[in-house]
Amino acid sequence: MRNLKALVGMGFKTALIYRFDFIVGFIRTIMTLIIYYFLWSAIFIYSKLTTIGGFTFNEMLSYYAISILIGVITYSDIDNWLNQDVRHGDV
């Protein structure tokens, strides 16, 4: 658990170095959650079902929130780094 806290803390500090990118990413994450909320709300309301694929509305939102959180925590920019290395002939 201590390693996870250190990893999250390090990621947060790195993100703060690039404040604009951090702010845009944070807003994008919040907007994504809002969009998923309204999307699944409309799907559940208009289908008049209490479960879809074995998930209730709250479980579906929790699933998306957790998946987005894991994506944010585990995100790395390695694909862009490799792309730049290839473009500059370093690889």
Side-chain angles (χ1 to χ4, degrees):
M1 187 67 175
R2 190 176 355 171
N3 290 338
L4 180 61
K5 284 182 182 181
L7 180 64
V8 170
M10 213 166 49
F12 186 73
K13 286 178 186 177
T14 302
L16 283 178
I17 292 172
Y18 304 99
R19 285 186 179 107
F20 180 73
D21 187 45
F22 175 77
I23 291 168
V24 170
F26 182 75
I27 292 170
R28 185 184 70 227
T29 301
I30 298 299
M31 291 302 296
T32 302
L33 286 172
I34 291 169
I35 290 168
Y36 278 131
Y37 173 82
F38 285 112
L39 174 70
W40 283 109
S41 178
I43 291 170
F44 273 91
I45 288 170
Y46 290 112
S47 69
K48 296 180 180 160
L49 297 172
T50 57
T51 60
I52 297 176
F55 291 98
T56 65
F57 177 70
N58 288 333
E59 290 171 339
M60 189 67 75
L61 289 181
S62 297
Y63 171 81
Y64 275 102
I66 291 169
S67 67
I68 289 171
L69 179 64
I70 290 171
V72 167
I73 290 171
T74 61
Y75 174 76
S76 80
D77 208 19
I78 191 73
D79 55 332
N80 289 328
W81 296 344
L82 288 173
N83 183 21
Q84 291 299 323
D85 287 347
V86 169
R87 285 185 178 188
H88 293 119
D90 296 334
V91 174

